Amino acid sequence: MRAQLIGTDAPAGEPDLGHHGDAEATPGLVDLAVNVRRAPMPDWLADPLVAAMGALAAYPDPGPARAAVAARHGRPPEEVLLTAGAAEGFVLIARALREARRPVVVHPQFTEPEAALRAAGHAVERVLLDAGDDFRLDPARVPADADLVLLGNPTNPTSVLHPAGALATLARPGRVLVVDEAFADTTAAPGVEPESLAARRDLPGLVVVRSLTKTWGLAGLRIGYLLGDPGLLARFAAAQPLWAVSTPALAAATACASPTAVAAERAIAAGLAADRDHLVARLSGLPGVRVVGRPASAFVLVHLAGAAAVRERLRERGWAVRRGDTFPGLGPDWLRIAVRDPATTDALTDVLAEILEA
């Protein structure tokens, strides 16, 4: 196990944890750097959002949305905390659990959890998964005395979907286990989200972080939620500003928890799987390009010698992809590429082939 102790001030040469794909998706470029789905908003979502705009004079009431989200996951409402996006959830966790003695973040993964911990004054230990093992999780690599553990499933940027059973073994009394499932709704299986822990109520200290911004194109609305023990969630809520989630965001949460939305989500995930397979096949046919493992989400991670220079060449040709060197455990030879429709994939890989052959 490789681990690093990182304090509140990152040493020189540390990855830029504050860098995100939106910084690369500049106007005029085809955006394969951001993992938000872009599609026309369905009426069952658009209509409640429009109606919510007529109720902005009243303070937000999270009750109905909280009940709807709870019903979706088979939990009582007190096991749901609505947040202004998943990112706020990480901030609340970091601030509320200042007594954590040994917080551990499993990388490569989304950088906001570690950034939030560091901003709250935590010294963060990293467990860096191995590229040679396709970044698969071995639970034994997490220190036994870690009392706060954070990891993603499926993981951004690797697109690895870890077995739920492996994650469950990390839960134990005296530990808070935070599983970031922001992309769980992008994973495909008939009628279910494979390997999700969102309905598990038997695991001590489990907190599941969810986002509604990816599949439904709501990044600008900021809506997510935490699932977990009521006592833990009460501590997180105490660190949250009053009325943190807006009335339109609450309307979106209610709509996206409906049976209609869940059925649509599963159909979208199935279509995404086919588009992802096409992207993987096209990338795998290019010289020197290695797609990591079996991608399971809305993006794929690729290794390519000289990827930093290739990324710049792609930008010159009108394409934005996500650099990998800002993720702990990766470096300049990694790129994350969002899954899009086959025509977009074909156009990208044609350009990439020309760059690699030059």
Side-chain angles (χ1 to χ4, degrees), residues 169-208:
T169 64
L170 292 173
R172 61 196 59 181
R175 168 185 288 175
V176 176
L177 172 63
V178 180
V179 180
D180 175 9
E181 291 192 0
F183 289 96
D185 60 358
T186 68
T187 57
V192 298
E193 296 173 342
E195 314 304 339
S196 172
L197 296 179
R200 292 289 298 269
R201 304 178 61 216
D202 59 317
L203 298 175
L206 173 66
V207 177
V208 175

Side-chain angles (χ1 to χ4, degrees), residues 13-17 19 24 111 301 308 311 322-336:
E14 273 296 302
D16 178 5
L17 301 182
H19 182 89
E24 306 192 46
T111 55
L301 182 67
R311 182 176 65 87
R322 175 65 160 86
R323 60 192 290 187
D325 61 339
T326 65
F327 293 100
L330 299 184
D333 290 337
W334 295 91
L335 298 173
R336 191 191 70 193

Side-chain angles (χ1 to χ4, degrees), residues 335-350:
L335 298 173
R336 191 191 70 193
I337 302 174
V339 176
R340 299 291 190 245
D341 62 274
T344 301
T345 287
D346 290 345
L348 166 74
T349 51
D350 286 346

